[in-house]
Structures are given as structure tokens and as C-alpha cells.
Amino acid sequence: VPHPYSRIIAVADGYDALRANRPGRAGLGAEDVLDVLRQEAGRRYDPLIVDHMEAMARDHLQLDRPAQTLTAALEQRLDA
């Protein structure tokens, strides 16, 4: 089982990679990146981490959902 921090880093790295401009392609918009992360949740990325990343991104971008603390959610999941 991957360490919780490595799962967080994987989602954050995926978000950053998809947002960044690369040679030959422009970076995706925030909503498009969140769509990709949701599509890959459960396969490439931990669904819980993706949910919290989306909530934090929406909060940071002042979109429609407030963020919860990721640390509290991870602690609950690990205690279960």
C-alpha cells in the first residue's frame, strides 16, 4: 500500500503536469484537469485524494465547493 503522502504527491504532480505548457501542447484549463483527475480516480489516483484536490482547487479558484482538510480525511480513512 503506497504511503498516503506519495498518493498526495501523485495527484499534485498529475495536476501540475496537465496544467503546464509543454513543447507541442498547451496546458489544460483547471476544469479540464479536474475532469481528467476524476476520470483517473480509482485507476491511477486515489479517489479520496482526488476529491480533496478538487475541493481545494475549487476553493482556491473560488469555484463552487469549499475545501475540507485533507489531513483530517486521511486520518479518518487510516483509522477505519
Side-chain angles (χ1 to χ4, degrees), residues 13-59:
D13 183 57
Y15 182 90
D16 183 61
L18 291 166
R19 289 280 290 151
N21 291 325
R22 304 290 176 157
R25 78 157 178 87
L28 299 176
E31 287 289 342
D32 293 330
V33 171
L34 293 174
D35 287 342
V36 171
L37 293 177
R38 275 193 299 274
Q39 290 169 4
E40 293 296 322
R43 288 181 283 188
R44 178 175 288 171
Y45 305 117
D46 183 313
L48 177 67
I49 307 299
V50 170
D51 287 347
H52 286 280
M53 176 67 180
E54 179 180 7
M56 288 186 292
R58 289 185 179 285
D59 187 50

